[in-house]
Amino acid sequence: MTEKVHGMKVLVLDQDTSGIVSMAVSHSTMLQQEVYLFERIDNPGRELMIHLKALCLLRPTPANVALLKQELHDPKYGEYHIFFTNVAIGIDELAQADEHEVVAQVQEFYADFYPVNPAFFTFNVSPMLSLTEPGIASEMERVIDGICSVLLAHRKKPFIRYLASSDMCTVVAQQVAERIKSSPELYDFTKTEIPPLLLLLDRREDPLSPLLLQWTYQAMVHELIGITRNKVDLSHAPGVHADTKEVVLSPDQDQFYADNMYLNFGDLGTVVQDLVNDFASKTKSTQKVQTLGARCGLF
């Protein structure tokens, strides 16, 4: 997305995509792609910067379309490259609002989910217990949007299997199947020898797993402290330094974490001990060199 647009750029995000991008790529990587500024589409106080090209990565919601229309009526940047994280909506409305002809392209960039690990993602929704809960409709819609985006991003048209005793699994499965059926051209992918399977389960049917404690690095940090959007909040820990009140744990930015996130507690302790010993030996060698240099200075 960033490589195909040359020149100085600003990345315009919404509340959801700002979290998605922060988990997927680091600021230093974005700087290498000439992205020098990050802004929110719902921030009315943004400055006029005609020399920048805007990359708008937004969820396709009516609220974001309305904000984009306002933006195009009074553009703050020289060009607009609009990327929706799911199936686009409001294209005709945006075309009519583009009076200054600043929109260079509108594309679908399927990334409507939070990537925790290469094989694990979340939709950042609240726990759902019943279809009668207040606000459950929007949460369910978010889950359905996210699942469809994952399928499109991985170019999969799966068989859908779900827990029939769960009303929420039934609704999600039916809605996902309906979207696939209503847009066959989007899901017209090459068939594989083993068809993909989308399996929908309800956590309420599994009372055992929440009682288990995984003794691996990533699982223990999340269970005992908590990992939110690849960040660990240590502000409540006694005596913590100001620079370490919030620590980023990302396999893309932390090589030690990437290499050892799935190790159990015992193996992790061995790795840490080896690192401490290696650091101690290097420190000792440095001290010997400094001592030898001091002695040579006496002559």
Side-chain angles (χ1 to χ4, degrees):
M1 182 180 75
T2 57
E3 295 176 350
K4 294 181 179 180
V5 180
H6 302 287
M8 299 175 63
K9 299 178 281 287
V10 52
L11 187 59
V12 182
L13 307 166
D14 59 32
Q15 182 177 359
D16 283 290
T17 57
S18 58
I20 292 171
V21 169
S22 68
M23 294 181 66
V25 62
S26 65
H27 277 204
S28 59
T29 301
M30 297 300 287
L31 284 172
Q32 294 174 4
Q33 303 296 332
E34 297 184 285
V35 178
Y36 298 104
L37 187 63
F38 298 83
E39 291 284 7
R40 285 276 295 270
I41 187 68
D42 54 354
N43 176 20
R46 286 176 284 120
E47 298 180 10
L48 181 66
M49 297 184 178
I50 299 299
H51 61 287
L52 294 180
K53 298 177 181 179
L55 302 180
C56 301
L57 181 64
L58 307 169
R59 295 195 65 236
T61 64
N64 281 340
V65 171
L67 289 171
L68 271 176
K69 289 169 61 179
Q70 294 178 16
E71 181 79 15
L72 296 177
H73 282 307
D74 184 21
K76 296 179 175 58
Y77 311 109
E79 280 185 14
Y80 284 80
H81 302 260
I82 301 173
F83 298 88
F84 286 118
T85 60
N86 217 313
V87 178
I89 63 172
I91 301 298
D92 292 338
E93 297 178 48
L94 294 177
Q96 293 176 4
D98 188 22
E99 302 171 354
H100 301 276
E101 298 184 352
V102 291
V103 176
Q105 60 175 319
V106 178
Q107 292 193 28
E108 295 171 349
F109 187 83
Y110 304 116
D112 205 6
F113 49 91
Y114 294 76
V116 180
N117 297 333
F120 179 63
F121 58 86
T122 180
F123 300 135
N124 197 37
V125 296
S126 303
M128 297 178 290
L129 299 178
S130 172
L131 289 177
T132 59
E133 290 183 15
I136 190 67
S138 61
E139 297 284 358
M140 294 285 286
E141 188 75 12
R142 179 67 185 91
V143 170
I144 295 166
D145 288 343
I147 291 175
C148 291
S149 180
V150 171
L151 296 177
L152 291 169
H154 291 84
R155 301 180 62 81
K156 302 294 183 183
K157 182 182 179 181
F159 288 113
I160 302 175
R161 299 292 181 266
Y162 61 95
L163 190 65
S165 60
S166 169
D167 51 357
M168 288 190 287
C169 284
T170 302
V171 170
V172 172
Q174 291 175 346
Q175 290 296 319
V176 171
E178 180 60 30
R179 291 196 184 186
I180 293 175
K181 183 180 179 180
S182 62
S183 303
E185 68 284 354
L186 288 178
Y187 296 88
D188 186 19
F189 305 129
T190 303
K191 294 184 178 180
T192 57
E193 184 177 351
I194 302 177
L197 175 65
L198 173 61
L199 181 61
L200 300 173
L201 301 176
D202 193 329
R203 174 58 72 192
R204 295 175 300 176
E205 300 290 333
D206 179 17
L208 179 60
S209 293
L211 302 177
L212 301 178
L213 178 61
Q214 300 296 322
W215 283 66
T216 57
Y217 183 19
Q218 182 190 45
M220 290 182 69
V221 173
H222 182 57
E223 181 75 20
L224 301 176
I225 305 175
I227 304 176
T228 304
R229 296 185 182 180
N230 286 348
K231 296 179 181 179
V232 180
D233 183 10
L234 298 175
S235 59
H236 58 282
V240 66
H241 195 272
D243 295 338
T244 56
K245 287 186 176 181
E246 186 177 75
V247 179
V248 176
L249 273 185
S250 169
D252 294 327
Q253 303 177 37
D254 187 333
Q255 191 59 45
F256 177 83
Y257 181 64
D259 294 339
N260 303 290
M261 58 193 299
Y262 301 124
L263 288 186
N264 61 49
F265 185 69
D267 293 337
L268 180 65
T270 302
V271 173
V272 172
Q273 185 62 52
D274 291 341
L275 284 175
V276 172
N277 292 338
D278 183 57
F279 176 76
S281 63
K282 290 181 179 179
T283 303
K284 189 175 181 180
S285 300
T286 302
Q287 290 176 343
K288 288 182 179 180
V289 171
Q290 291 175 345
T291 303
L292 180 59
R295 290 179 178 177
C296 291
L298 297 175
F299 296 96

